Amino acid sequence: MEVRSITRFVRISPLKVRDVVREIRGLPVSQALDILNFTPKKAAFLVNKTLRSAIANAENNHSLAADRLVVKEAQVGEGPRLSRFKPAARGSAHPIQRRCCHIRLVVTDEIEIPEPRKRKAKAAKPAKAATPAPATPSTADTNA
């Protein structure tokens, strides 16, 4: 079953949030929470809050187990822009755009949690046989 959570009108640029959201897409929620907790960005805090809300919705409203949930979708859309003006030299003004965004997360228990990939042990490469260096004729041999 799919459970969603939406945080709207967040006062941060969508470009900054998309970088964080891209990291958690398709991961189990436990891994996603770990990544968000150790990401030092404001966007990570906001996405973490939205993800915790989606997990709570799944547990309380739909009786789903949190350890089986996977982040199916993670989208960031643009919200309204607030137009401001900054005074500049000689009585002019420069426009400023204050951007907002909407964060939408969908978690589901229908997707299997991917197994972590096991690294194959590298086989030791056989040592190359040392080829003997060509013998250089000595000066005594060439003068004779």
Short mmCIF file of all heavy atoms in Angstrom, two decimals, residues 5 17-39 43-52 54-55 69-76 103-108 111 114:
data_model
loop_
_atom_site.label_atom_id
_atom_site.label_comp_id
_atom_site.label_asym_id
_atom_site.label_seq_id
_atom_site.Cartn_x
_atom_site.Cartn_y
_atom_site.Cartn_z
N SER A 5 3.15 11.69 2.04
CA SER A 5 3.23 12.83 2.94
C SER A 5 3.74 14.02 2.13
O SER A 5 4.66 13.88 1.31
CB SER A 5 4.20 12.52 4.08
OG SER A 5 4.30 13.64 4.93
N VAL A 17 16.77 21.36 -2.49
CA VAL A 17 16.10 20.19 -1.92
C VAL A 17 16.22 18.99 -2.85
O VAL A 17 16.33 17.85 -2.38
CB VAL A 17 14.62 20.51 -1.61
CG1 VAL A 17 13.94 19.34 -0.94
CG2 VAL A 17 14.51 21.74 -0.73
N ARG A 18 16.25 19.22 -4.15
CA ARG A 18 16.31 18.10 -5.10
C ARG A 18 17.59 17.30 -4.94
O ARG A 18 17.60 16.08 -5.15
CB ARG A 18 16.19 18.62 -6.54
CG ARG A 18 14.78 18.97 -6.90
CD ARG A 18 14.62 19.32 -8.36
NE ARG A 18 13.30 19.86 -8.58
CZ ARG A 18 13.05 21.08 -9.02
NH1 ARG A 18 14.04 21.88 -9.31
NH2 ARG A 18 11.81 21.50 -9.17
N ASP A 19 18.70 17.95 -4.60
CA ASP A 19 19.94 17.22 -4.38
C ASP A 19 19.82 16.22 -3.24
O ASP A 19 20.33 15.10 -3.32
CB ASP A 19 21.09 18.20 -4.07
CG ASP A 19 21.52 18.98 -5.30
OD1 ASP A 19 21.26 18.52 -6.42
OD2 ASP A 19 22.12 20.05 -5.12
N VAL A 20 19.13 16.61 -2.18
CA VAL A 20 18.97 15.73 -1.02
C VAL A 20 17.98 14.62 -1.33
O VAL A 20 18.21 13.44 -1.00
CB VAL A 20 18.52 16.54 0.20
CG1 VAL A 20 18.22 15.65 1.38
CG2 VAL A 20 19.58 17.57 0.58
N VAL A 21 16.89 14.95 -2.00
CA VAL A 21 15.84 13.98 -2.30
C VAL A 21 16.36 12.89 -3.23
O VAL A 21 15.99 11.72 -3.12
CB VAL A 21 14.62 14.71 -2.89
CG1 VAL A 21 13.67 13.77 -3.57
CG2 VAL A 21 13.90 15.47 -1.80
N ARG A 22 17.24 13.26 -4.14
CA ARG A 22 17.80 12.31 -5.09
C ARG A 22 18.56 11.19 -4.38
O ARG A 22 18.64 10.07 -4.86
CB ARG A 22 18.72 13.05 -6.05
CG ARG A 22 18.93 12.39 -7.37
CD ARG A 22 19.69 13.27 -8.34
NE ARG A 22 18.85 14.37 -8.79
CZ ARG A 22 19.19 15.66 -8.72
NH1 ARG A 22 20.34 16.02 -8.21
NH2 ARG A 22 18.38 16.59 -9.15
N GLU A 23 19.13 11.50 -3.22
CA GLU A 23 19.93 10.51 -2.49
C GLU A 23 19.08 9.42 -1.84
O GLU A 23 19.58 8.32 -1.62
CB GLU A 23 20.76 11.22 -1.40
CG GLU A 23 21.80 12.16 -1.95
CD GLU A 23 22.88 11.46 -2.74
OE1 GLU A 23 23.27 10.35 -2.33
OE2 GLU A 23 23.31 12.00 -3.75
N ILE A 24 17.83 9.71 -1.49
CA ILE A 24 17.04 8.73 -0.73
C ILE A 24 16.03 7.98 -1.58
O ILE A 24 15.40 7.04 -1.10
CB ILE A 24 16.30 9.40 0.44
CG1 ILE A 24 15.23 10.38 -0.06
CG2 ILE A 24 17.27 10.06 1.37
CD1 ILE A 24 14.26 10.79 1.01
N ARG A 25 15.88 8.34 -2.83
CA ARG A 25 14.88 7.71 -3.69
C ARG A 25 15.22 6.23 -3.89
O ARG A 25 16.33 5.88 -4.25
CB ARG A 25 14.86 8.44 -5.03
CG ARG A 25 13.66 8.17 -5.87
CD ARG A 25 13.66 9.03 -7.10
NE ARG A 25 13.41 10.42 -6.78
CZ ARG A 25 13.96 11.45 -7.40
NH1 ARG A 25 14.81 11.27 -8.36
NH2 ARG A 25 13.66 12.68 -7.05
N GLY A 26 14.23 5.36 -3.60
CA GLY A 26 14.40 3.93 -3.81
C GLY A 26 15.04 3.19 -2.65
O GLY A 26 15.25 1.99 -2.74
N LEU A 27 15.37 3.87 -1.56
CA LEU A 27 16.02 3.23 -0.42
C LEU A 27 15.00 2.80 0.63
O LEU A 27 13.91 3.38 0.73
CB LEU A 27 17.00 4.20 0.24
CG LEU A 27 18.24 4.59 -0.55
CD1 LEU A 27 19.07 5.57 0.25
CD2 LEU A 27 19.07 3.37 -0.88
N PRO A 28 15.34 1.80 1.46
CA PRO A 28 14.50 1.50 2.62
C PRO A 28 14.50 2.70 3.57
O PRO A 28 15.48 3.45 3.62
CB PRO A 28 15.20 0.30 3.27
CG PRO A 28 16.08 -0.25 2.22
CD PRO A 28 16.42 0.85 1.29
N VAL A 29 13.42 2.89 4.30
CA VAL A 29 13.30 4.10 5.12
C VAL A 29 14.37 4.16 6.21
O VAL A 29 14.80 5.25 6.58
CB VAL A 29 11.89 4.24 5.73
CG1 VAL A 29 10.88 4.50 4.65
CG2 VAL A 29 11.51 3.06 6.56
N SER A 30 14.82 3.04 6.71
CA SER A 30 15.85 3.07 7.75
C SER A 30 17.15 3.64 7.19
O SER A 30 17.80 4.48 7.82
CB SER A 30 16.09 1.67 8.32
OG SER A 30 16.47 0.78 7.29
N GLN A 31 17.53 3.23 5.98
CA GLN A 31 18.73 3.79 5.34
C GLN A 31 18.53 5.26 4.99
O GLN A 31 19.45 6.07 5.14
CB GLN A 31 19.06 3.03 4.06
CG GLN A 31 19.87 1.79 4.27
CD GLN A 31 20.27 1.19 2.94
OE1 GLN A 31 19.56 1.33 1.94
NE2 GLN A 31 21.39 0.50 2.92
N ALA A 32 17.34 5.60 4.52
CA ALA A 32 17.06 6.99 4.14
C ALA A 32 17.16 7.91 5.36
O ALA A 32 17.73 9.00 5.27
CB ALA A 32 15.68 7.10 3.51
N LEU A 33 16.65 7.46 6.50
CA LEU A 33 16.73 8.27 7.73
C LEU A 33 18.18 8.44 8.16
O LEU A 33 18.57 9.52 8.62
CB LEU A 33 15.91 7.63 8.85
CG LEU A 33 14.39 7.74 8.69
CD1 LEU A 33 13.69 6.91 9.77
CD2 LEU A 33 13.94 9.19 8.77
N ASP A 34 19.00 7.39 8.03
CA ASP A 34 20.41 7.50 8.39
C ASP A 34 21.12 8.52 7.51
O ASP A 34 21.89 9.35 8.00
CB ASP A 34 21.10 6.14 8.25
CG ASP A 34 20.69 5.17 9.35
OD1 ASP A 34 20.17 5.65 10.38
OD2 ASP A 34 20.90 3.96 9.17
N ILE A 35 20.85 8.47 6.21
CA ILE A 35 21.48 9.42 5.30
C ILE A 35 21.07 10.84 5.63
O ILE A 35 21.89 11.76 5.67
CB ILE A 35 21.13 9.07 3.84
CG1 ILE A 35 21.85 7.78 3.42
CG2 ILE A 35 21.49 10.21 2.89
CD1 ILE A 35 21.43 7.25 2.08
N LEU A 36 19.78 11.04 5.89
CA LEU A 36 19.29 12.39 6.18
C LEU A 36 19.81 12.92 7.51
O LEU A 36 20.06 14.12 7.65
CB LEU A 36 17.76 12.40 6.17
CG LEU A 36 17.12 12.15 4.80
CD1 LEU A 36 15.62 12.02 4.95
CD2 LEU A 36 17.47 13.25 3.83
N ASN A 37 19.98 12.04 8.49
CA ASN A 37 20.48 12.50 9.79
C ASN A 37 21.92 12.98 9.71
O ASN A 37 22.32 13.86 10.48
CB ASN A 37 20.38 11.36 10.83
CG ASN A 37 18.97 11.19 11.33
OD1 ASN A 37 18.18 12.12 11.34
ND2 ASN A 37 18.64 9.98 11.74
N PHE A 38 22.71 12.42 8.78
CA PHE A 38 24.12 12.78 8.69
C PHE A 38 24.43 13.69 7.51
O PHE A 38 25.60 13.86 7.17
CB PHE A 38 24.98 11.52 8.65
CG PHE A 38 24.94 10.77 9.93
CD1 PHE A 38 24.23 9.59 10.04
CD2 PHE A 38 25.59 11.25 11.05
CE1 PHE A 38 24.18 8.89 11.22
CE2 PHE A 38 25.55 10.56 12.25
CZ PHE A 38 24.84 9.38 12.34
N THR A 39 23.41 14.26 6.90
CA THR A 39 23.62 15.22 5.82
C THR A 39 23.51 16.62 6.40
O THR A 39 22.45 17.00 6.90
CB THR A 39 22.57 15.04 4.70
OG1 THR A 39 22.64 13.69 4.23
CG2 THR A 39 22.83 15.98 3.55
N ALA A 43 17.96 21.41 3.90
CA ALA A 43 17.03 20.60 3.12
C ALA A 43 16.91 19.19 3.70
O ALA A 43 15.82 18.61 3.69
CB ALA A 43 17.47 20.54 1.67
N ALA A 44 17.99 18.65 4.22
CA ALA A 44 17.95 17.30 4.80
C ALA A 44 17.05 17.27 6.02
O ALA A 44 16.31 16.30 6.24
CB ALA A 44 19.36 16.85 5.16
N PHE A 45 17.07 18.31 6.82
CA PHE A 45 16.20 18.40 8.00
C PHE A 45 14.73 18.41 7.56
O PHE A 45 13.89 17.71 8.15
CB PHE A 45 16.53 19.65 8.81
CG PHE A 45 15.56 19.92 9.92
CD1 PHE A 45 15.61 19.19 11.09
CD2 PHE A 45 14.60 20.90 9.79
CE1 PHE A 45 14.71 19.43 12.11
CE2 PHE A 45 13.69 21.15 10.79
CZ PHE A 45 13.75 20.41 11.97
N LEU A 46 14.41 19.17 6.53
CA LEU A 46 13.03 19.29 6.07
C LEU A 46 12.53 18.00 5.43
O LEU A 46 11.39 17.58 5.66
CB LEU A 46 12.91 20.45 5.08
CG LEU A 46 13.25 21.83 5.67
CD1 LEU A 46 13.40 22.86 4.57
CD2 LEU A 46 12.20 22.25 6.66
N VAL A 47 13.39 17.33 4.66
CA VAL A 47 13.00 16.07 4.04
C VAL A 47 12.87 14.99 5.11
O VAL A 47 11.96 14.14 5.05
CB VAL A 47 14.03 15.66 2.95
CG1 VAL A 47 13.74 14.27 2.42
CG2 VAL A 47 14.01 16.67 1.82
N ASN A 48 13.73 15.02 6.12
CA ASN A 48 13.65 14.08 7.24
C ASN A 48 12.30 14.22 7.96
O ASN A 48 11.66 13.22 8.28
CB ASN A 48 14.81 14.33 8.20
CG ASN A 48 14.92 13.27 9.28
OD1 ASN A 48 14.12 12.37 9.37
ND2 ASN A 48 15.96 13.41 10.08
N LYS A 49 11.89 15.44 8.16
CA LYS A 49 10.61 15.70 8.82
C LYS A 49 9.44 15.14 8.00
O LYS A 49 8.52 14.52 8.53
CB LYS A 49 10.46 17.21 9.01
CG LYS A 49 9.46 17.64 10.01
CD LYS A 49 9.60 19.15 10.23
CE LYS A 49 8.58 19.64 11.21
NZ LYS A 49 8.67 21.07 11.44
N THR A 50 9.50 15.31 6.69
CA THR A 50 8.45 14.81 5.81
C THR A 50 8.45 13.29 5.78
O THR A 50 7.39 12.65 5.79
CB THR A 50 8.64 15.37 4.39
OG1 THR A 50 8.77 16.79 4.46
CG2 THR A 50 7.48 15.02 3.49
N LEU A 51 9.64 12.69 5.76
CA LEU A 51 9.74 11.22 5.74
C LEU A 51 9.20 10.62 7.04
O LEU A 51 8.50 9.62 7.03
CB LEU A 51 11.18 10.79 5.50
CG LEU A 51 11.43 9.29 5.41
CD1 LEU A 51 10.62 8.67 4.29
CD2 LEU A 51 12.90 9.01 5.22
N ARG A 52 9.51 11.25 8.16
CA ARG A 52 8.99 10.76 9.45
C ARG A 52 7.46 10.86 9.48
O ARG A 52 6.79 10.00 10.04
CB ARG A 52 9.58 11.54 10.60
CG ARG A 52 11.02 11.20 10.88
CD ARG A 52 11.53 11.93 12.11
NE ARG A 52 12.93 11.71 12.29
CZ ARG A 52 13.44 10.65 12.92
NH1 ARG A 52 12.65 9.72 13.39
NH2 ARG A 52 14.75 10.52 13.05
N ALA A 54 5.51 10.57 6.83
CA ALA A 54 5.02 9.48 5.97
C ALA A 54 5.07 8.14 6.71
O ALA A 54 4.15 7.32 6.60
CB ALA A 54 5.84 9.42 4.68
N ILE A 55 6.13 7.92 7.48
CA ILE A 55 6.24 6.67 8.26
C ILE A 55 5.15 6.61 9.32
O ILE A 55 4.52 5.57 9.52
CB ILE A 55 7.64 6.56 8.89
CG1 ILE A 55 8.70 6.43 7.80
CG2 ILE A 55 7.72 5.39 9.85
CD1 ILE A 55 10.12 6.59 8.30
N LEU A 69 9.09 -0.66 4.85
CA LEU A 69 8.76 0.45 3.96
C LEU A 69 9.97 0.87 3.12
O LEU A 69 11.11 0.84 3.59
CB LEU A 69 8.26 1.65 4.76
CG LEU A 69 6.94 1.45 5.50
CD1 LEU A 69 6.62 2.68 6.34
CD2 LEU A 69 5.82 1.18 4.52
N VAL A 70 9.67 1.27 1.88
CA VAL A 70 10.68 1.74 0.95
C VAL A 70 10.20 3.07 0.37
O VAL A 70 9.01 3.26 0.14
CB VAL A 70 10.88 0.72 -0.20
CG1 VAL A 70 11.88 1.21 -1.21
CG2 VAL A 70 11.29 -0.63 0.34
N VAL A 71 11.12 3.99 0.15
CA VAL A 71 10.78 5.28 -0.47
C VAL A 71 10.56 5.03 -1.96
O VAL A 71 11.51 4.79 -2.70
CB VAL A 71 11.89 6.32 -0.25
CG1 VAL A 71 11.52 7.64 -0.91
CG2 VAL A 71 12.15 6.52 1.22
N LYS A 72 9.31 5.06 -2.38
CA LYS A 72 8.98 4.79 -3.78
C LYS A 72 9.17 6.04 -4.64
O LYS A 72 9.76 6.00 -5.70
CB LYS A 72 7.54 4.29 -3.90
CG LYS A 72 7.14 3.97 -5.32
CD LYS A 72 5.72 3.47 -5.39
CE LYS A 72 5.34 3.17 -6.83
NZ LYS A 72 3.95 2.75 -6.93
N GLU A 73 8.63 7.16 -4.17
CA GLU A 73 8.74 8.42 -4.91
C GLU A 73 9.22 9.50 -3.97
O GLU A 73 8.86 9.53 -2.80
CB GLU A 73 7.37 8.86 -5.47
CG GLU A 73 6.85 8.03 -6.60
CD GLU A 73 5.49 8.55 -7.07
OE1 GLU A 73 5.27 9.78 -6.99
OE2 GLU A 73 4.68 7.73 -7.50
N ALA A 74 10.01 10.39 -4.51
CA ALA A 74 10.45 11.57 -3.77
C ALA A 74 10.52 12.70 -4.78
O ALA A 74 11.37 12.70 -5.67
CB ALA A 74 11.80 11.33 -3.11
N GLN A 75 9.59 13.64 -4.66
CA GLN A 75 9.51 14.74 -5.63
C GLN A 75 9.58 16.07 -4.92
O GLN A 75 9.11 16.21 -3.78
CB GLN A 75 8.19 14.67 -6.39
CG GLN A 75 8.02 13.47 -7.26
CD GLN A 75 6.68 13.46 -7.96
OE1 GLN A 75 5.79 14.24 -7.60
NE2 GLN A 75 6.52 12.60 -8.94
N VAL A 76 10.12 17.04 -5.63
CA VAL A 76 10.14 18.41 -5.13
C VAL A 76 9.60 19.29 -6.24
O VAL A 76 10.12 19.30 -7.35
CB VAL A 76 11.57 18.86 -4.76
CG1 VAL A 76 11.57 20.29 -4.28
CG2 VAL A 76 12.15 17.95 -3.70
N ILE A 103 7.44 19.50 -0.95
CA ILE A 103 8.13 18.21 -0.87
C ILE A 103 7.07 17.12 -0.78
O ILE A 103 6.20 17.17 0.09
CB ILE A 103 9.05 18.15 0.35
CG1 ILE A 103 10.07 19.29 0.32
CG2 ILE A 103 9.77 16.80 0.42
CD1 ILE A 103 10.85 19.45 1.59
N ARG A 104 7.14 16.13 -1.68
CA ARG A 104 6.17 15.04 -1.71
C ARG A 104 6.91 13.72 -1.67
O ARG A 104 7.74 13.43 -2.54
CB ARG A 104 5.34 15.12 -2.98
CG ARG A 104 4.30 14.04 -3.12
CD ARG A 104 3.49 14.27 -4.39
NE ARG A 104 2.46 13.28 -4.52
CZ ARG A 104 2.58 12.18 -5.25
NH1 ARG A 104 3.68 11.95 -5.91
NH2 ARG A 104 1.59 11.32 -5.31
N LEU A 105 6.64 12.91 -0.64
CA LEU A 105 7.26 11.59 -0.49
C LEU A 105 6.19 10.52 -0.49
O LEU A 105 5.14 10.69 0.14
CB LEU A 105 8.06 11.50 0.81
CG LEU A 105 9.25 12.45 0.96
CD1 LEU A 105 9.90 12.25 2.31
CD2 LEU A 105 10.25 12.23 -0.14
N VAL A 106 6.44 9.42 -1.17
CA VAL A 106 5.54 8.27 -1.18
C VAL A 106 6.34 7.06 -0.72
O VAL A 106 7.39 6.74 -1.30
CB VAL A 106 4.96 8.01 -2.59
CG1 VAL A 106 4.09 6.78 -2.59
CG2 VAL A 106 4.19 9.21 -3.07
N VAL A 107 5.86 6.40 0.35
CA VAL A 107 6.50 5.18 0.83
C VAL A 107 5.53 4.02 0.59
O VAL A 107 4.31 4.21 0.62
CB VAL A 107 6.90 5.27 2.31
CG1 VAL A 107 7.96 6.32 2.52
CG2 VAL A 107 5.72 5.55 3.20
N THR A 108 6.08 2.85 0.36
CA THR A 108 5.26 1.68 0.08
C THR A 108 5.91 0.45 0.68
O THR A 108 7.12 0.42 0.92
CB THR A 108 5.05 1.50 -1.43
OG1 THR A 108 4.17 0.42 -1.65
CG2 THR A 108 6.35 1.25 -2.15
N ILE A 111 7.28 -2.90 -2.61
CA ILE A 111 8.57 -3.09 -3.27
C ILE A 111 9.46 -3.88 -2.32
O ILE A 111 9.52 -3.60 -1.13
CB ILE A 111 9.22 -1.74 -3.62
CG1 ILE A 111 8.31 -0.94 -4.56
CG2 ILE A 111 10.58 -1.94 -4.24
CD1 ILE A 111 8.82 0.44 -4.85
N PRO A 114 15.94 -4.01 -1.47
CA PRO A 114 17.07 -4.59 -2.19
C PRO A 114 18.14 -5.09 -1.22
O PRO A 114 18.42 -4.46 -0.21
CB PRO A 114 17.59 -3.43 -3.04
CG PRO A 114 17.11 -2.21 -2.35
CD PRO A 114 15.82 -2.58 -1.66
#
